[in-house]
Amino acid sequence: MPSYEELSELLDPATTVLLTVECQNGVVGPGSALPELAEEARASGVLARIARLVAGAHESGVQVVHAIAERRPDGRGANRNARLFRAAERLPVQQLSGTTAVRVAAPIEVADEDLVVRRLHGLSPIAGTDVDPLLRNLGCRALIVTGVSANVAIPNAVFDAVNRGYTTVVPRDAIAGVPSDYTPAMIRNTLALVATITTTDEVLACFKRPRRIT
């Protein structure tokens, strides 16, 4: 865990971006295609903490990017090369472009200045999407990764961000996966090796801290 001073220096609002991963109605909302994951995200307080982080980012001038996974109704361009993709095709709720399933879920609020990046393929919110060039154009140096799932998309996002040269920060209480005991084990044994692990409250405290004038 970094000290407060170290984390505060790292999370400069001018060079920090907050990324929410698959925090959409069809994944973590009441009508989720993945009810076990949605229940974990909500009952654990993860979704509410992500909403707090987004609100704090808006107040402090930190850019927010929402990464959404969706598919065309005809499935064109979607992957079918893994069990996960084939199982998703049979789910009762589909993440179809233009539907409520692919809207950012409450209580997270999307501001006019937020960027929403939608992908039609793959597992990663970053690789093969517009996220990386947008981050570079924004001058991002530190990327805060939140959302779901700790099983697949979150580690993908963290590894891809690290491989692209971003310092990656993961609030451990703002990501969720299933079963509930998997997430802390994955953080401890995997993400902690490559990312700065912190908490929602510590990130929010850094957002609120007055910056030194040099």
Side-chain angles (χ1 to χ4, degrees):
M1 291 284 289
S3 69
Y4 174 77
E5 291 292 333
E6 290 170 335
L7 189 63
S8 184
E9 289 299 317
L10 176 62
L11 298 182
D12 181 344
T15 56
T16 297
V17 172
L18 174 67
L19 178 70
T20 76
V21 176
E22 296 182 24
C23 293
Q24 56 202 77
N25 288 323
V27 176
V28 295
S32 170
L34 304 165
E36 184 181 2
L37 178 60
E39 174 63 19
E40 175 63 25
R42 290 181 172 274
S44 66
V46 163
L47 199 60
R49 284 188 284 271
I50 295 170
R52 289 176 57 212
L53 285 166
V54 169
H58 291 158
E59 292 172 3
S60 62
V62 171
Q63 179 67 53
V64 179
V65 177
H66 304 280
I68 301 295
E70 59 183 54
R71 58 184 284 123
R72 287 167 49 111
D74 61 10
R76 286 181 182 271
N79 289 65
R80 299 199 73 256
N81 58 333
R83 282 176 52 200
L84 177 64
F85 300 121
R86 295 191 292 273
E89 291 180 348
R90 299 191 296 272
L91 292 173
V93 177
Q94 294 291 303
Q95 314 298 320
L96 298 182
S97 302
T99 67
T100 58
V102 296
R103 294 178 186 168
V104 175
I108 298 169
E109 294 188 1
V110 181
D112 290 341
E113 62 269 22
D114 291 3
L115 298 174
V116 180
V117 179
R118 303 179 183 278
R119 78 178 193 273
L120 293 172
H121 62 86
L123 298 171
S124 174
I126 295 178
T129 76
D130 287 338
V131 170
D132 182 37
L134 289 174
L135 294 180
R136 295 194 182 281
N137 289 345
L138 291 164
C140 176
R141 295 180 61 189
L143 182 67
I144 305 170
V145 177
T146 68
V148 297
S149 75
N151 305 77
V152 178
I154 294 297
N156 263 267
V158 171
F159 293 148
D160 287 341
V162 171
N163 285 334
R164 285 159 175 77
Y166 302 105
T167 298
T168 307
V169 176
V170 178
R172 63 173 182 261
D173 55 354
I175 65 171
V178 289
S180 57
D181 59 356
Y182 175 76
T183 301
M186 189 273 297
I187 292 171
R188 182 173 61 253
N189 296 301
T190 302
L191 297 189
L193 302 177
V194 295
T196 298
I197 307 301
T198 183
T199 67
T200 294
D201 286 343
E202 288 168 343
V203 170
L204 288 172
C206 291
F207 283 175
K208 294 174 182 177
R209 181 184 181 187
R211 298 286 152 177
R212 293 196 304 267
I213 298 176
T214 56

